[in-house]
Amino acid sequence: MRVYKTNEIKNIALLGSKGSGKTTLTEAMLFEGGVIKRRGSVEAKNTVSDYFPVEQEYGYSVFPTVFQVEWNNKKLNIIDCPGSDDFVGGAITALNVTDQAVILINGQYGVEVGTQNNFRYTEKLAKPVIFLVNQLDSDKCDFDVVLANLKDVYGAKVVPVQYPIATGPGFNAVIDVLLMKKYSWGPEGGAPTIEDIPADQMDKAMELHRALVEAAAENDETLMEKFFEEESLSEDEMREGIRKGLVTRSIFPVFCVCAGKDMGVRRLMEFLGNVVPFVNEMPKIHNTRGEEVAPDSDAPTAVYFFKTGLEPHIGEVSYFKVMSGRLKEGDDLTNSDRGSKERITTIYSCAGSNRTKVDELEAGDIGCTVKLKDVKTGNTLVGPGCDHKFNFIKYPNSKYSRSIKAVNESETEKMMAAILRQRQEDPTWVVEQSKELRQTIVHGQGEFHLRTLKWRLENVDKIQIQYGEPRIPYRETITKSARADYRHKKQSGGAGQFGEVHLIVEPYAEGMPDPVSYNMGGQEFKVNIKGKEEISLEWGGKLVFINSVVGGAIDARFMPAILKGVMDCMNRGPLTGSYARDVRVVVYDGKMHPVDSNELSFMLAGRNAFSAAFKEAGPKILEPIYDLEVYVPADYMGDVMSDLQGRRAMIMGMDSEAGYQKLMAKVPQKELSNYSISLSSLTGGRASFNAKFASYELVPNDIQQALIKAHEAELAEEEK
Ligand SMILES: Nc1nc2c(ncn2[C@@H]2O[C@H](COP(=O)(O)OP(=O)(O)O)[C@@H](O)[C@H]2O)c(=O)[nH]1
Ligand SMILES: [Mg+2]
């Protein structure tokens, strides 16, 4: 493979709902590009893309597959992404390192929820979009309906470049209204026959041609002028106009293929090579310091690692994009994120598990390498004179969490290591060892996502695991002030223990003034602040601890011990054992013993006084509330809404977005535990959602009572 210049490289993400035909199209492109000698099929489990056992087991893509084809002296770097939203991490990665999204539409179904999700990400990342209608040979496919659907959802920017003469099993020809030619294929697909447009198609073709010319001209003033004067543009001018329109997302061209029969694939590759924006035409990426990094081959080398694959027999395969400079075999580079040195022994151009050695890659290009010592997904390797780091890829929040444990407890460490390894492949798996919940929790994008993790742990790493319901990180707080004393006294033989603490607790709110005095049961307690500690709690909220002890009743040296006792209680709240937050404590009096007082005594006195006061202070349990956004087709709105009402949701608003309704609500985390499964079964998989932590709110009284009971039972169980 020769060395491609930056302006000969096109980076493309292949997106679309699961089952739209991305993996099949990939086979056809690789076949046409001469990378493989025969096309595999998803059914025969022999495609280049779906080569991991887990993908073959489930029959669809789990990981994005990077591949390269050369076509007309251009290098197309294409990433075939998993279609299911459970594996959205792959699509996010791919979109971030490419300059063009090709979104496949299943000609049988038109715009699907997966299409919508993919499109939304292209919108967020401002990437150009080409729609590609596939499966034109299916009898359920009606191109006009699909096109109307696309226009309905994405507007007038949707402009066909091709249309099929007929769809269904006899499909074998399209009219290309950019080139104004008819393309047709024999039963084996492949090389097309290119002919003049038949007379009976001419009117329709001319009409669509004019629409395309106008759409192309709109993106450039000189083209617009020419269009007004001459009512037409040359082919090159149209390509130029379409490319500009792609970059600004003012045109979404529509192409036609039948990936299964390799029809329309060559023409597609030609268009991608000619019209897709070059790497250096797209907005520049920024490094972590916010500086622009241009894909300049003469600048110092910076290579960003966006994906790690774990392959049987080979180990880690690291996929990268050359952000600037050029990468040569034998280069010695520094890992700017980890400080370590790395030598690049071999560079490959890749096509799934097929790899071809190359000597050099220039800025903008994508490749892979193996046997790196210490490079993790997200790291950057740099040459002399360069210290770029990148963190431009932002993954969505998790949507589904489960507690996880190894069935055989002795394999816990092995399990953790395996999950962390898999996280290199899919950064949307997040594992957390929660001290608070006393559970290990895995967070993912959906039930299927987590099931895949389990499959891999059990079948690849040979570790049996078990999922469970994750605990909810409740919090405890108080709603009014209360006072309590506690005397800790022990006289048994030798040195005794003595400490006595009097304190007041009250709810703390950010910005409230320091206390001056309290009135408790008709008695006045003046506050005389001698010391104040404001502790930002690790788990959110604050504890404010005030020393207002008069007349030396307790030595200042015992204050830290009292605070420690209070903190013990904050760590394991009296109601449910959850963290407590937002409390102010004023220690205003107490007693010491000249001999027997020590730190332990005051720690215990502080803890018990605080616990007693806390229980008198209208204690409440708080639960985490999430901001939920649900994208749902209008027909399902009613069902989704009433389901949410059963989840104690507070509906915050509604919006409509490209054929979908967007519903915003606040929902307790506890009620979201199985939401991805319910929403999917409620809508036949046609809705999607995301959820983000918003705040802690009081739980309703009946739930509080139930939680306290459950905690008491748990404590009794522990004592047995
Ligand atoms: N009839 C027909 N079936 C196709 C075509 N392209 C793909 N398929 C089938 O559609 C299913 C999903 O294809 P696949 O490539 O796995 O889709 P992906 O999930 O987008 O990667 C498979 O059964 C393919 O054989 C096509 O052009 N025509
Ligand atoms: Mg696939």
Side-chain angles (χ1 to χ4, degrees), residues 370-396:
V370 294
K371 307 219 159 32
L372 294 178
K373 280 189 325 224
D374 184 31
V375 175
K376 302 267 179 264
T377 303
N379 289 171
T380 305
L381 291 183
V382 294
C386 182
D387 65 349
H388 295 316
K389 286 185 218 172
F390 299 98
N391 64 353
F392 52 88
I393 306 187
K394 303 274 180 280
Y395 292 100

Side-chain angles (χ1 to χ4, degrees), residues 147 151 159-160 163 175 177 180 197 201-215 227:
L147 187 64
K151 282 184 186 260
V159 183
Y163 71 90
I175 302 294
V177 302
M180 285 307 275
I197 296 176
Q201 295 294 330
M202 208 54 193
D203 287 351
K204 182 171 179 187
M206 271 316 292
E207 190 191 324
L208 292 174
H209 178 71
R210 254 182 252 121
L212 179 64
V213 171
E214 196 175 333
F227 174 64

